[in-house]
């Protein structure tokens, strides 16, 4: 209303512009009173709107809904065609276009806007508002956001959304309906952005809490399941040991069978020891550093095949070693690497109920040393192959065999491979055996 002098008819809190009449210059006194009154009523209207917005903002903790309320409010208070909000992803640090007043949530694609070369990025980096009369002619203009939303930006006002002195995003108002964006619009949008920041942070905090709560619940469930499985897995060999010892005690076995019975008892004791070791190892791996040396995987393979010889023999398994010559060492913890192979060989024996040849290969390829275990066992269905590396995961066995185990062996093996900068791959099909391949980086030089 400044610059020219008008007289207008009051309509509610605002002014009906269709009846604005220029007033002769002599009537300035009357006009300044009217002007003042109009400004006042406009301010009251805006304040009422802000209050209402602040009430609505505090009424929800759903981030998606909040973003919509924020952009709709921005459009209303600065009287523009559209508004949008962009937030910095707390994990990736990227600036993401989150919501626009014109688009339904399902139409909004989370476009990543470059922080270094966009107007919104400039607002984030400088922590300052920006007003542009023609945004598209600005070198910082990022055309993709308009292309994605099918919108044409002309004028633009952007303000930082900050929480506790940290910029968490940008609130943009686009295409002022009448005239240009003013400093007053900047003030209003800044106030809205401050309220929005608090609401957004609260919503994020709540989402974080809910996620943590769900995780705790899931951990609790896994813990209960784990206690049941562990007790069961320990009870089976301990019951067998107890039974054998009672029978020996009562003199039920003739002297010539006692060595055989003790051998069986020793195997059950080994099972208990391995289970307990797996549990301890799982705990230790999180706490202890690697004890690194140059390790020859061929030597590890021979040592471990030797260590499992008796069990393999009892299960009708024959080790076939194919250790290539001149394989470079890997950098790592020999004890853990042997443990990793132990778990693979243990499974190869356990899941090959009809016996047969288990081949252990060590060879170099593509700057890596490959350690491979192929068994002729029951195989693993495709859809279960990713899951078997998860902690406590075991495939339910429905056929004639019951295989013991806590579902920890492969998760420990994978963790050891990963902490050595390597990975484990699997090729398998039901009834056609399994081949596990560990690839570790060969030591350079
Ligand atoms: P567990 O200690 O119970 O054997 P693992 O983590 O070593 O646990 O293995 C998880 C599951 O993966 C096993 O219960 C089994 O169903 C499947 N599995 C692992 N290795 C083999 C294999 N060589 N052949 C067939 N199935 C296997």
């Amino acid at each position: 209303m400044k610059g020219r002098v008008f007289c207008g008819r009051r309509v509610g809190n605002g002014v009906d512009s269709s009846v604005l009449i220029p007033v002769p210059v002599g009537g300035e006194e009357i006009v300044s009173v009217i002007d003042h009154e109009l400004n006042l009523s406009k301010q009251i209207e805006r304040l009422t709107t802000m209050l209402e917005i602040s009430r609505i903002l505090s009424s929800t903790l759903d981030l998606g809904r909040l973003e919509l309320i924020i952009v709709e409010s921005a459009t209303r208070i600065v009287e523009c065609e559209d508004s949008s909000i962009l937030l910095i992803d707390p994990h990736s640090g990227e600036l993401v276009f989150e919501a626009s007043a014109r688009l339904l949530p399902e139409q909004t694609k989370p476009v990543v806007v470059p922080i270094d070369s966009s107007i919104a990025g400039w607002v984030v980096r400088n922590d300052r508002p920006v007003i542009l009369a023609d945004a598209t002619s600005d070198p910082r203009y990022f055309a993709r956001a308009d292309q994605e939303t099918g919108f044409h930006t002309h004028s633009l006002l952007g303000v930082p959304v900050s929480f506790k002195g940290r910029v968490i995003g940008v609130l943009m108002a686009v295409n002022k309906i009448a005239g240009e964006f003013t400093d007053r619009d900047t003030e209003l949008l800044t106030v809205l952005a401050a309220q929005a920041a608090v609401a957004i942070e609260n919503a994020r905090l709540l989402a974080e809490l809910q996620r943590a709560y769900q995780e705790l619940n899931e951990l609790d469930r896994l813990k209960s399941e784990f206690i049941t499985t562990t007790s069961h897995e320990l009870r089976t060999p301990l019951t067998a040991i107890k039974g054998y010892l009672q029978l020996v005690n009562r003199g039920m076995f003739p002297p010539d069978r006692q060595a055989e019975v003790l051998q069986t008892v020793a195997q059950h004791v080994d099972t208990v020891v391995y289970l307990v070791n797996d549990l301890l190892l799982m705990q230790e791996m999180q706490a202890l550093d690697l004890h690194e040396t140059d390790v020859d995987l061929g030597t590890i393979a021979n040592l471990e095949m030797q260590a499992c010889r008796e069990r393999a023999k009892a299960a009708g398994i024959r080790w076939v070693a194919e250790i290539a010559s001149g394989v470079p060492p890997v950098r790592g913890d020999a004890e853990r690497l042997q443990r990793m192979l132990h778990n693979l060989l243990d499974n190869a024996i356990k899941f090959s109920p009809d016996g047969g040849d288990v081949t252990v290969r060590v060879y170099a390829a593509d700057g890596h040393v490959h350690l491979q275990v192929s068994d002729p066992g029951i195989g693993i269905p495709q859809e279960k192959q990713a899951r078997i590396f998860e902690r406590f995961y075991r495939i339910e066995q429905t056929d004639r065999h019951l295989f013991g185990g806590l579902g920890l062996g492969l998760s420990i093996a994978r963790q050891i491979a990963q902490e050595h900068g390597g990975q484990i791959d699997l090729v398998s099909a039901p009834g056609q055996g399994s081949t596990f391949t560990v690839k570790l980086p060969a030591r350079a030089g």
Side-chain angles (χ1 to χ4, degrees), residues 55 250 347:
R55 191 185 51 75
R250 285 187 212 144
N347 282 346

Side-chain angles (χ1 to χ4, degrees), residues 162-173:
S162 304
F163 185 75
K164 291 192 177 163
R166 183 174 46 91
V167 182
I168 62 164
V170 183
L171 186 55
M172 298 275 227

Side-chain angles (χ1 to χ4, degrees), residues 158-265:
V159 300
V161 179
S162 304
F163 185 75
K164 291 192 177 163
R166 183 174 46 91
V167 182
I168 62 164
V170 183
L171 186 55
M172 298 275 227
V174 192
N175 296 357
K176 179 86 178 166
I177 288 171
E180 306 288 340
F181 286 114
T182 62
D183 289 346
R184 181 81 191 120
D185 292 328
T186 310
E187 276 168 28
L188 282 170
L189 210 61
T190 304
V191 173
L192 174 63
Q195 293 187 343
V198 176
I200 288 168
E201 283 299 305
N202 281 341
R204 279 181 168 169
L205 214 65
L206 182 79
E208 200 67 39
L209 268 177
Q210 280 169 338
R211 209 172 14 252
Y213 182 70
Q214 272 167 6
E215 263 173 34
L216 271 180
N217 266 345
E218 174 62 8
L219 277 179
D220 198 45
R221 194 188 61 75
L222 278 177
K223 203 173 106 191
S224 306
E225 203 178 287
F226 170 67
I227 290 171
T228 313
T229 318
T230 312
S231 318
H232 183 77
E233 290 300 326
L234 287 173
R235 196 176 54 190
T236 310
L238 287 175
T239 309
I241 292 167
K242 193 176 166 199
Y244 276 115
L245 291 181
Q246 277 171 346
L247 292 176
V248 171
N249 205 19
R250 285 187 212 144
M252 303 292 279
F253 291 110
D256 62 325
R257 279 206 62 206
Q258 283 193 2
E260 181 199 329
V261 169
L262 286 180
Q263 177 67 29
T264 313
V265 169

Side-chain angles (χ1 to χ4, degrees), residues 41-152:
S41 64
K42 189 85 185 162
Q43 275 185 30
I44 290 171
E45 183 193 328
R46 282 175 157 178
L47 270 174
T48 315
T49 312
M50 290 302 290
L51 269 175
E52 192 193 334
I53 290 169
S54 140
R55 191 185 51 75
I56 301 174
L57 279 179
S58 57
S59 70
T60 179
L61 281 167
D62 176 285
L63 190 57
R65 219 181 109 54
L66 261 181
E67 288 170 351
L68 279 183
I69 295 172
I70 294 163
V71 288
E72 273 160 16
S73 308
T75 310
R76 238 169 88 201
I77 58 166
V78 298
E79 292 164 346
C80 61
E81 287 179 11
D82 190 19
S83 298
S84 50
I85 184 155
L86 299 93
L87 292 179
I88 297 174
D89 184 304
H91 302 292
S92 66
E94 287 172 329
L95 183 62
V96 184
F97 183 96
E98 295 279 340
S100 139
R102 280 177 47 259
L103 296 176
L104 292 170
E106 53 272 24
Q107 294 173 308
T108 312
K109 294 180 203 150
V111 181
V112 174
V113 176
I115 294 196
D116 292 337
S117 52
S118 65
I119 298 167
W122 185 92
V123 175
V124 169
R125 280 183 285 119
N126 294 279
D127 192 7
R128 272 170 50 194
V130 68
I131 292 184
L132 296 171
D134 178 14
T136 51
S137 64
D138 191 284
R140 296 164 294 183
Y141 171 67
F142 177 65
R144 225 188 105 205
D146 270 4
Q147 285 158 10
E148 293 283 348
T149 57
F151 189 72
H152 297 289

Side-chain angles (χ1 to χ4, degrees), residues 285-299:
M285 280 205 311
Q286 284 159 3
L288 296 183
D289 289 338
L290 293 182
H291 179 67
E292 286 195 344
T293 56
D294 281 354
V295 182
D296 175 33
L297 287 185
T299 308

